[in-house]
């Protein structure tokens, strides 16, 4: 399914433009071909640095996308998952980012990813079946997944108006949370927090745009 040179060219381009900074993220992006996660009809655009829409909502707005590769790389660099980490992702969509997380944590780690849309979760489960340390859960990710907490890393890939108390509770001490915040004072900023003894401390932020979280909040 890989279209070879398009895939390599995309990764090279992300390195050249500074979105990929570490050898670890580069290696993961070389292993996981985005072409295996985009819908069949969109394969020609699999290696463009642009989001691909997977599903529209009732009003015709994107409800699910495969994020722009630049954004995926920047967020993974911020999250900096280590081998053996247990990572929680909110917003599975195609499963592309979950596959990258699986590469980064390796077989001694674990990736739990929560998707609110059942059909999308089923599709991701199929695509990720060969990666036994990835679990796709169907549900509202604002509640996190307390059963497997604490997590060394939590990454949210849909826009939230605020951080959910559940994410804070389920993040290990010294752990990182990367979340796109779309509230009034935080319009389209992707924020990196670190868990400290006195709570979450903001470490970094960058501009971004994401489809909104659905569920109780939205
Ligand atoms: N991580 C994806 C991109 C996610 S797009 C990638 O690899 O490219 C955002 C996803 O979040 C959508 O599929 C949407 O259905 C899902 N979503 C929206 N609200 C959610 C919620 N409350 N809980 C879990 N998933 C949610």
């Amino acid at each position: 399914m890989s279209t070879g040179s398009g895939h390599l060219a995309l990764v090279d381009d992300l390195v050249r433009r500074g979105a990929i900074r570490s050898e670890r993220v580069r290696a993961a992006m070389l292993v996981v071909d985005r072409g295996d996660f985009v819908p069949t009809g969109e394969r020609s655009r699999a290696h463009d640095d642009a989001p691909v829409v997977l599903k529209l909502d009732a009003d015709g707005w994107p409800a699910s996308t495969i994020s722009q590769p630049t954004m995926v790389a920047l967020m993974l660099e911020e999250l900096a998952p280590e081998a053996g980490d247990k990572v929680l992702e909110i917003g599975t969509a195609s499963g592309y980012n979950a596959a990258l997380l699986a590469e980064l944590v390796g077989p001694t780690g674990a990736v739990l990813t929560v998707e609110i849309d059942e059909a999308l979760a089923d599709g991701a489960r199929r695509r990720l079946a060969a990666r036994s340390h990835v679990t796709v859960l169907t549900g509202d990710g604002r509640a996190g997944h307390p059963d497997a907490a604490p997590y060394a890393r939590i990454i949210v890939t849909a826009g939230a108006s605020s951080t959910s108390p559940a994410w804070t509770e389920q993040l290990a001490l010294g752990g990182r949370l990367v979340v796109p915040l779309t509230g009034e004072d935080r319009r389209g900023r992707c924020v990196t927090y670190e868990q400290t003894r006195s709570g979450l401390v903001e470490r970094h932020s960058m501009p971004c745009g994401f489809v909104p979280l659905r569920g109780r909040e939205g």
Side-chain angles (χ1 to χ4, degrees), residues 63-67 89 91 93 97 114-116 140-141 157 213-214:
S64 181
T65 65
I66 303 186
S67 307
E89 179 193 42
N97 193 52
V114 188
E115 170 56 54
I116 202 166
D140 186 343
T157 61
L213 272 177
R214 285 172 283 149

Side-chain angles (χ1 to χ4, degrees), residues 1 22 50 61 69 95 140 154 159 162 213:
M1 258 183 258
S22 68
W61 292 96
D140 186 343
I154 300 180
S162 61
L213 272 177

Side-chain angles (χ1 to χ4, degrees), residues 55-130:
K55 207 160 195 168
L56 298 173
D57 67 16
D59 301 319
W61 292 96
S64 181
T65 65
I66 303 186
S67 307
Q68 182 192 12
T70 290
M71 211 54 230
V72 172
L74 288 170
M75 287 174 79
L76 288 175
E77 293 287 7
E78 275 304 310
L79 191 72
E82 289 171 10
D85 276 353
K86 194 194 285 179
V87 179
L88 178 68
E89 179 193 42
I90 312 300
T92 318
S94 69
Y96 174 57
N97 193 52
L100 291 167
L101 291 169
E103 286 302 319
L104 286 162
V105 302
T108 59
V111 178
L112 293 94
T113 177
V114 188
E115 170 56 54
I116 202 166
D117 181 304
E118 265 185 53
L120 288 172
D122 286 346
R125 228 169 256 128
R126 269 198 315 278
R127 279 180 220 106
L128 294 164

Side-chain angles (χ1 to χ4, degrees), residues 4-218:
S5 62
H7 172 57
L8 298 183
L10 171 63
V11 176
D12 280 351
D13 188 48
L14 293 172
V15 171
R16 204 165 32 243
R17 287 186 296 103
I20 295 177
R21 296 192 301 267
S22 68
E23 185 47 41
R24 278 171 55 69
V25 170
R26 178 173 171 273
M29 291 192 95
L30 281 173
V31 170
V32 182
D33 187 343
R34 194 169 181 251
D36 295 336
F37 292 84
V38 301
T40 327
E42 304 273 10
R43 289 272 151 83
S44 63
R45 304 199 304 127
H47 304 115
D48 292 353
D49 189 29
V52 175
V53 176
L54 299 176
K55 207 160 195 168
L56 298 173
D57 67 16
D59 301 319
W61 292 96
S64 181
T65 65
I66 303 186
S67 307
Q68 182 192 12
T70 290
M71 211 54 230
V72 172
L74 288 170
M75 287 174 79
L76 288 175
E77 293 287 7
E78 275 304 310
L79 191 72
E82 289 171 10
D85 276 353
K86 194 194 285 179
V87 179
L88 178 68
E89 179 193 42
I90 312 300
T92 318
S94 69
Y96 174 57
N97 193 52
L100 291 167
L101 291 169
E103 286 302 319
L104 286 162
V105 302
T108 59
V111 178
L112 293 94
T113 177
V114 188
E115 170 56 54
I116 202 166
D117 181 304
E118 265 185 53
L120 288 172
D122 286 346
R125 228 169 256 128
R126 269 198 315 278
R127 279 180 220 106
L128 294 164
R131 294 172 167 92
S132 57
H133 57 305
V134 181
T135 308
V136 181
L137 304 152
T138 310
D140 186 343
R142 289 199 59 83
H145 183 61
D147 295 3
Y151 302 99
R153 303 285 187 266
I154 300 180
I155 180 167
V156 184
T157 61
S161 63
S162 61
T163 60
S164 164
W167 305 334
T168 312
E169 281 158 23
Q170 293 169 30
L171 186 61
L173 189 62
R176 285 192 195 186
L177 164 68
V178 175
V179 54
L181 291 180
T182 50
E184 323 152 26
D185 58 333
R186 290 231 169 257
R187 237 182 145 61
R189 305 221 33 101
C190 185
V191 182
T192 306
Y193 295 97
E194 187 188 324
Q195 182 79 291
T196 71
R197 290 198 189 279
S198 42
L200 291 184
V201 174
E202 185 175 324
R203 292 291 185 217
H204 180 266
S205 89
M206 58 190 167
C208 68
F210 273 86
V211 303
L213 272 177
R214 285 172 283 149
R216 274 173 295 150
E217 183 194 46

